[in-house]
Amino acid sequence: MNASVHVIDHPLVQHKLTLMRQKNRSTNSFRRLLHEIGMLMAYEVTRDMPTQLIDIETPLEAMKAPVIDGKKTVFVVVMRAGDGFLDGMLEVVPGARVGHVGLYRDPKTLGAVEYYFKMPHDMHERDAVVLDPMLATGNSAVAAVDRLKETRPKSIRFVSLLAAPEGLRNFHGHHPDVPVYTAAIDRQLNEHGYIVPGLGDAGDRIFGTK
Ligand code: URA
């Protein structure tokens, strides 16, 4: 299977990402930019979403016209940074359902431990879009998708704002069938597992917790 990575290099996305990387940007501004990038990335992520023809009437005549079934989409938020992406995505696909996955890293084993998991019912009918702004080591992304696959969604896509090459390799080593959408692939991880040049701790910057 060909593991695919889509780098969304639209100038608006790249411009906003540059603003987000700046260390002196306020929490308010960082959050607003992530919201805007979420909307823009949603266009790319939903590009091949299936449509169905329905009968409508324009002021001039009857026609069959395409619609998407937004309710068949489930945004899966990887807590807590994934929350920052959600509002922008929901603005574009307002009928979508939302699931949450909470994972923390066990300080002894460094493995991902689940503390929260809640998905809508009938996942086998839904296309899942996993939201996690930072694909760093890839360990939590792998664990989140491992768990999500147990619910057997129709399809899975993974959206991150920034990815590290190491994280992409790790993720696609485990899930070659899941396409990744990202705004940039940065140089590498540092010794603390942060993406460099990166933008710092996404959760802290979204929620102002540092
Ligand atoms: N998580 C973050 O928030 N930032 C990184 O650089 C890596 C993981």
Side-chain angles (χ1 to χ4, degrees), residues 81 105 132-137 162 188-190 192-205:
R105 191 197 283 201
D132 189 354
M134 308 301 272
L135 182 50
T137 61
L162 280 187
Q188 66 189 93
L189 293 179
N190 71 10
H192 305 294
Y194 278 86
I195 299 174
V196 283
L199 51 72
D201 188 297
D204 281 340
R205 297 200 63 191

PDB file of all heavy atoms in Angstrom, residues 81 105 132-137 162 188-190 192-205, ligand 1:
ATOM      1  N   ALA A  81      -4.637  19.244  22.041  1.00  0.00           N
ATOM      2  CA  ALA A  81      -4.341  20.230  20.997  1.00  0.00           C
ATOM      3  C   ALA A  81      -5.280  20.098  19.801  1.00  0.00           C
ATOM      4  O   ALA A  81      -5.557  21.081  19.107  1.00  0.00           O
ATOM      5  CB  ALA A  81      -2.888  20.098  20.555  1.00  0.00           C
ATOM      6  N   ARG A 105       1.306  10.100  27.905  1.00  0.00           N
ATOM      7  CA  ARG A 105       2.496   9.261  27.781  1.00  0.00           C
ATOM      8  C   ARG A 105       2.906   8.745  29.158  1.00  0.00           C
ATOM      9  O   ARG A 105       3.153   9.541  30.066  1.00  0.00           O
ATOM     10  CB  ARG A 105       3.626  10.087  27.179  1.00  0.00           C
ATOM     11  CG  ARG A 105       4.819   9.226  26.768  1.00  0.00           C
ATOM     12  CD  ARG A 105       6.044  10.061  26.566  1.00  0.00           C
ATOM     13  NE  ARG A 105       6.000  10.781  25.290  1.00  0.00           N
ATOM     14  CZ  ARG A 105       7.079  11.243  24.690  1.00  0.00           C
ATOM     15  NH1 ARG A 105       8.264  11.087  25.230  1.00  0.00           N
ATOM     16  NH2 ARG A 105       6.976  11.882  23.560  1.00  0.00           N
ATOM     17  N   ASP A 132      -4.926  16.336  14.903  1.00  0.00           N
ATOM     18  CA  ASP A 132      -3.869  16.511  15.913  1.00  0.00           C
ATOM     19  C   ASP A 132      -2.827  17.443  15.300  1.00  0.00           C
ATOM     20  O   ASP A 132      -2.139  17.054  14.352  1.00  0.00           O
ATOM     21  CB  ASP A 132      -3.243  15.158  16.273  1.00  0.00           C
ATOM     22  CG  ASP A 132      -2.299  15.286  17.463  1.00  0.00           C
ATOM     23  OD1 ASP A 132      -2.044  16.416  17.924  1.00  0.00           O
ATOM     24  OD2 ASP A 132      -1.810  14.239  17.935  1.00  0.00           O
ATOM     25  N   PRO A 133      -2.718  18.685  15.800  1.00  0.00           N
ATOM     26  CA  PRO A 133      -1.863  19.666  15.116  1.00  0.00           C
ATOM     27  C   PRO A 133      -0.396  19.261  14.964  1.00  0.00           C
ATOM     28  O   PRO A 133       0.250  19.683  14.020  1.00  0.00           O
ATOM     29  CB  PRO A 133      -1.974  20.920  15.988  1.00  0.00           C
ATOM     30  CG  PRO A 133      -3.243  20.772  16.725  1.00  0.00           C
ATOM     31  CD  PRO A 133      -3.449  19.287  16.918  1.00  0.00           C
ATOM     32  N   MET A 134       0.145  18.465  15.911  1.00  0.00           N
ATOM     33  CA  MET A 134       1.576  18.180  15.853  1.00  0.00           C
ATOM     34  C   MET A 134       1.827  16.677  15.704  1.00  0.00           C
ATOM     35  O   MET A 134       1.604  15.906  16.644  1.00  0.00           O
ATOM     36  CB  MET A 134       2.268  18.681  17.127  1.00  0.00           C
ATOM     37  CG  MET A 134       1.978  20.136  17.458  1.00  0.00           C
ATOM     38  SD  MET A 134       2.471  21.294  16.174  1.00  0.00           S
ATOM     39  CE  MET A 134       4.164  21.607  16.623  1.00  0.00           C
ATOM     40  N   LEU A 135       2.301  16.258  14.542  1.00  0.00           N
ATOM     41  CA  LEU A 135       2.691  14.860  14.347  1.00  0.00           C
ATOM     42  C   LEU A 135       4.192  14.806  14.625  1.00  0.00           C
ATOM     43  O   LEU A 135       5.008  15.036  13.738  1.00  0.00           O
ATOM     44  CB  LEU A 135       2.348  14.411  12.922  1.00  0.00           C
ATOM     45  CG  LEU A 135       2.634  12.966  12.526  1.00  0.00           C
ATOM     46  CD1 LEU A 135       2.081  11.976  13.527  1.00  0.00           C
ATOM     47  CD2 LEU A 135       2.057  12.684  11.153  1.00  0.00           C
ATOM     48  N   ALA A 136       4.550  14.568  15.886  1.00  0.00           N
ATOM     49  CA  ALA A 136       5.956  14.682  16.321  1.00  0.00           C
ATOM     50  C   ALA A 136       6.618  13.300  16.302  1.00  0.00           C
ATOM     51  O   ALA A 136       7.099  12.861  15.267  1.00  0.00           O
ATOM     52  CB  ALA A 136       5.997  15.355  17.690  1.00  0.00           C
ATOM     53  N   THR A 137       6.608  12.578  17.430  1.00  0.00           N
ATOM     54  CA  THR A 137       7.170  11.216  17.400  1.00  0.00           C
ATOM     55  C   THR A 137       6.243  10.297  16.610  1.00  0.00           C
ATOM     56  O   THR A 137       6.653   9.262  16.095  1.00  0.00           O
ATOM     57  CB  THR A 137       7.290  10.619  18.812  1.00  0.00           C
ATOM     58  OG1 THR A 137       5.985  10.538  19.387  1.00  0.00           O
ATOM     59  CG2 THR A 137       8.187  11.461  19.690  1.00  0.00           C
ATOM     60  N   LEU A 162       1.687  20.534  11.567  1.00  0.00           N
ATOM     61  CA  LEU A 162       3.115  20.326  11.323  1.00  0.00           C
ATOM     62  C   LEU A 162       3.453  18.860  11.543  1.00  0.00           C
ATOM     63  O   LEU A 162       2.917  18.236  12.468  1.00  0.00           O
ATOM     64  CB  LEU A 162       3.954  21.109  12.337  1.00  0.00           C
ATOM     65  CG  LEU A 162       4.183  22.583  12.129  1.00  0.00           C
ATOM     66  CD1 LEU A 162       5.181  23.076  13.179  1.00  0.00           C
ATOM     67  CD2 LEU A 162       4.725  22.840  10.740  1.00  0.00           C
ATOM     68  N   GLN A 188      13.217  18.180  11.826  1.00  0.00           N
ATOM     69  CA  GLN A 188      13.464  17.010  12.678  1.00  0.00           C
ATOM     70  C   GLN A 188      12.840  17.210  14.063  1.00  0.00           C
ATOM     71  O   GLN A 188      12.284  18.278  14.356  1.00  0.00           O
ATOM     72  CB  GLN A 188      14.965  16.801  12.857  1.00  0.00           C
ATOM     73  CG  GLN A 188      15.632  17.927  13.644  1.00  0.00           C
ATOM     74  CD  GLN A 188      17.135  17.814  13.630  1.00  0.00           C
ATOM     75  OE1 GLN A 188      17.791  18.398  12.776  1.00  0.00           O
ATOM     76  NE2 GLN A 188      17.682  17.076  14.588  1.00  0.00           N
ATOM     77  N   LEU A 189      12.975  16.209  14.912  1.00  0.00           N
ATOM     78  CA  LEU A 189      12.618  16.331  16.327  1.00  0.00           C
ATOM     79  C   LEU A 189      13.872  16.696  17.102  1.00  0.00           C
ATOM     80  O   LEU A 189      14.970  16.233  16.763  1.00  0.00           O
ATOM     81  CB  LEU A 189      12.118  14.988  16.865  1.00  0.00           C
ATOM     82  CG  LEU A 189      10.809  14.449  16.314  1.00  0.00           C
ATOM     83  CD1 LEU A 189      10.499  13.097  16.956  1.00  0.00           C
ATOM     84  CD2 LEU A 189       9.669  15.429  16.561  1.00  0.00           C
ATOM     85  N   ASN A 190      13.703  17.474  18.179  1.00  0.00           N
ATOM     86  CA  ASN A 190      14.861  17.703  19.052  1.00  0.00           C
ATOM     87  C   ASN A 190      14.888  16.632  20.139  1.00  0.00           C
ATOM     88  O   ASN A 190      14.055  15.717  20.166  1.00  0.00           O
ATOM     89  CB  ASN A 190      14.895  19.146  19.593  1.00  0.00           C
ATOM     90  CG  ASN A 190      13.809  19.400  20.625  1.00  0.00           C
ATOM     91  OD1 ASN A 190      13.137  18.479  21.081  1.00  0.00           O
ATOM     92  ND2 ASN A 190      13.636  20.658  20.990  1.00  0.00           N
ATOM     93  N   HIS A 192      13.985  16.623  23.071  1.00  0.00           N
ATOM     94  CA  HIS A 192      12.800  16.579  23.940  1.00  0.00           C
ATOM     95  C   HIS A 192      11.547  16.138  23.190  1.00  0.00           C
ATOM     96  O   HIS A 192      10.440  16.208  23.722  1.00  0.00           O
ATOM     97  CB  HIS A 192      12.560  17.957  24.565  1.00  0.00           C
ATOM     98  CG  HIS A 192      13.746  18.488  25.300  1.00  0.00           C
ATOM     99  ND1 HIS A 192      14.227  17.899  26.450  1.00  0.00           N
ATOM    100  CD2 HIS A 192      14.579  19.526  25.018  1.00  0.00           C
ATOM    101  CE1 HIS A 192      15.299  18.560  26.860  1.00  0.00           C
ATOM    102  NE2 HIS A 192      15.525  19.540  25.999  1.00  0.00           N
ATOM    103  N   GLY A 193      11.721  15.755  21.945  1.00  0.00           N
ATOM    104  CA  GLY A 193      10.563  15.310  21.158  1.00  0.00           C
ATOM    105  C   GLY A 193       9.765  16.453  20.570  1.00  0.00           C
ATOM    106  O   GLY A 193       8.640  16.264  20.097  1.00  0.00           O
ATOM    107  N   TYR A 194      10.335  17.672  20.564  1.00  0.00           N
ATOM    108  CA  TYR A 194       9.652  18.803  19.926  1.00  0.00           C
ATOM    109  C   TYR A 194      10.066  18.889  18.458  1.00  0.00           C
ATOM    110  O   TYR A 194      11.214  18.596  18.100  1.00  0.00           O
ATOM    111  CB  TYR A 194       9.996  20.127  20.624  1.00  0.00           C
ATOM    112  CG  TYR A 194       9.150  20.343  21.851  1.00  0.00           C
ATOM    113  CD1 TYR A 194       9.535  19.817  23.079  1.00  0.00           C
ATOM    114  CD2 TYR A 194       7.946  21.039  21.776  1.00  0.00           C
ATOM    115  CE1 TYR A 194       8.744  19.976  24.203  1.00  0.00           C
ATOM    116  CE2 TYR A 194       7.153  21.203  22.895  1.00  0.00           C
ATOM    117  CZ  TYR A 194       7.550  20.678  24.099  1.00  0.00           C
ATOM    118  OH  TYR A 194       6.753  20.827  25.195  1.00  0.00           O
ATOM    119  N   ILE A 195       9.106  19.336  17.645  1.00  0.00           N
ATOM    120  CA  ILE A 195       9.392  19.534  16.220  1.00  0.00           C
ATOM    121  C   ILE A 195      10.193  20.828  16.074  1.00  0.00           C
ATOM    122  O   ILE A 195       9.819  21.853  16.646  1.00  0.00           O
ATOM    123  CB  ILE A 195       8.077  19.636  15.413  1.00  0.00           C
ATOM    124  CG1 ILE A 195       7.267  18.336  15.540  1.00  0.00           C
ATOM    125  CG2 ILE A 195       8.369  19.960  13.955  1.00  0.00           C
ATOM    126  CD1 ILE A 195       5.877  18.394  14.901  1.00  0.00           C
ATOM    127  N   VAL A 196      11.302  20.771  15.304  1.00  0.00           N
ATOM    128  CA  VAL A 196      12.069  21.993  15.024  1.00  0.00           C
ATOM    129  C   VAL A 196      12.184  22.200  13.511  1.00  0.00           C
ATOM    130  O   VAL A 196      12.311  21.234  12.779  1.00  0.00           O
ATOM    131  CB  VAL A 196      13.487  21.950  15.669  1.00  0.00           C
ATOM    132  CG1 VAL A 196      13.414  22.213  17.145  1.00  0.00           C
ATOM    133  CG2 VAL A 196      14.213  20.645  15.381  1.00  0.00           C
ATOM    134  N   PRO A 197      12.063  23.496  13.063  1.00  0.00           N
ATOM    135  CA  PRO A 197      11.907  24.695  13.872  1.00  0.00           C
ATOM    136  C   PRO A 197      10.577  24.764  14.622  1.00  0.00           C
ATOM    137  O   PRO A 197      10.524  25.357  15.692  1.00  0.00           O
ATOM    138  CB  PRO A 197      12.002  25.851  12.873  1.00  0.00           C
ATOM    139  CG  PRO A 197      12.231  25.243  11.532  1.00  0.00           C
ATOM    140  CD  PRO A 197      12.168  23.773  11.622  1.00  0.00           C
ATOM    141  N   GLY A 198       9.514  24.214  14.110  1.00  0.00           N
ATOM    142  CA  GLY A 198       8.266  24.043  14.837  1.00  0.00           C
ATOM    143  C   GLY A 198       7.563  25.311  15.242  1.00  0.00           C
ATOM    144  O   GLY A 198       7.739  26.387  14.629  1.00  0.00           O
ATOM    145  N   LEU A 199       6.757  25.193  16.277  1.00  0.00           N
ATOM    146  CA  LEU A 199       6.052  26.354  16.824  1.00  0.00           C
ATOM    147  C   LEU A 199       5.893  26.240  18.341  1.00  0.00           C
ATOM    148  O   LEU A 199       5.134  26.990  18.945  1.00  0.00           O
ATOM    149  CB  LEU A 199       4.687  26.541  16.135  1.00  0.00           C
ATOM    150  CG  LEU A 199       3.725  25.354  16.022  1.00  0.00           C
ATOM    151  CD1 LEU A 199       3.111  24.975  17.337  1.00  0.00           C
ATOM    152  CD2 LEU A 199       2.635  25.676  15.014  1.00  0.00           C
ATOM    153  N   GLY A 200       6.611  25.290  18.938  1.00  0.00           N
ATOM    154  CA  GLY A 200       6.529  25.110  20.392  1.00  0.00           C
ATOM    155  C   GLY A 200       5.444  24.124  20.764  1.00  0.00           C
ATOM    156  O   GLY A 200       5.081  23.264  19.949  1.00  0.00           O
ATOM    157  N   ASP A 201       4.940  24.269  21.971  1.00  0.00           N
ATOM    158  CA  ASP A 201       3.914  23.344  22.466  1.00  0.00           C
ATOM    159  C   ASP A 201       2.543  23.859  22.015  1.00  0.00           C
ATOM    160  O   ASP A 201       2.056  24.891  22.489  1.00  0.00           O
ATOM    161  CB  ASP A 201       3.963  23.270  23.991  1.00  0.00           C
ATOM    162  CG  ASP A 201       3.043  22.181  24.505  1.00  0.00           C
ATOM    163  OD1 ASP A 201       1.805  22.281  24.292  1.00  0.00           O
ATOM    164  OD2 ASP A 201       3.530  21.222  25.132  1.00  0.00           O
ATOM    165  N   ALA A 202       1.934  23.126  21.096  1.00  0.00           N
ATOM    166  CA  ALA A 202       0.683  23.611  20.486  1.00  0.00           C
ATOM    167  C   ALA A 202      -0.408  23.777  21.538  1.00  0.00           C
ATOM    168  O   ALA A 202      -1.127  24.777  21.555  1.00  0.00           O
ATOM    169  CB  ALA A 202       0.242  22.653  19.382  1.00  0.00           C
ATOM    170  N   GLY A 203      -0.531  22.795  22.439  1.00  0.00           N
ATOM    171  CA  GLY A 203      -1.579  22.869  23.466  1.00  0.00           C
ATOM    172  C   GLY A 203      -1.398  24.116  24.336  1.00  0.00           C
ATOM    173  O   GLY A 203      -2.349  24.865  24.577  1.00  0.00           O
ATOM    174  N   ASP A 204      -0.183  24.357  24.791  1.00  0.00           N
ATOM    175  CA  ASP A 204       0.075  25.530  25.624  1.00  0.00           C
ATOM    176  C   ASP A 204      -0.222  26.820  24.869  1.00  0.00           C
ATOM    177  O   ASP A 204      -0.734  27.788  25.434  1.00  0.00           O
ATOM    178  CB  ASP A 204       1.533  25.550  26.089  1.00  0.00           C
ATOM    179  CG  ASP A 204       1.757  24.596  27.274  1.00  0.00           C
ATOM    180  OD1 ASP A 204       0.775  24.236  27.937  1.00  0.00           O
ATOM    181  OD2 ASP A 204       2.921  24.215  27.491  1.00  0.00           O
ATOM    182  N   ARG A 205       0.104  26.838  23.594  1.00  0.00           N
ATOM    183  CA  ARG A 205      -0.098  28.068  22.827  1.00  0.00           C
ATOM    184  C   ARG A 205      -1.570  28.297  22.505  1.00  0.00           C
ATOM    185  O   ARG A 205      -2.035  29.425  22.444  1.00  0.00           O
ATOM    186  CB  ARG A 205       0.774  28.053  21.565  1.00  0.00           C
ATOM    187  CG  ARG A 205       2.257  28.019  21.917  1.00  0.00           C
ATOM    188  CD  ARG A 205       3.145  28.470  20.800  1.00  0.00           C
ATOM    189  NE  ARG A 205       2.930  29.861  20.430  1.00  0.00           N
ATOM    190  CZ  ARG A 205       3.435  30.431  19.346  1.00  0.00           C
ATOM    191  NH1 ARG A 205       4.202  29.707  18.533  1.00  0.00           N
ATOM    192  NH2 ARG A 205       3.202  31.694  19.068  1.00  0.00           N
TER     193      ARG A 205
HETATM  194  N1  URA B   1       3.776  18.560  20.585  1.00  0.00           N
HETATM  195  C1  URA B   1       3.796  19.907  20.492  1.00  0.00           C
HETATM  196  O1  URA B   1       2.872  20.586  20.921  1.00  0.00           O
HETATM  197  N2  URA B   1       4.855  20.480  19.885  1.00  0.00           N
HETATM  198  C2  URA B   1       5.868  19.768  19.375  1.00  0.00           C
HETATM  199  O2  URA B   1       6.793  20.355  18.820  1.00  0.00           O
HETATM  200  C3  URA B   1       5.826  18.375  19.507  1.00  0.00           C
HETATM  201  C4  URA B   1       4.774  17.787  20.118  1.00  0.00           C
END
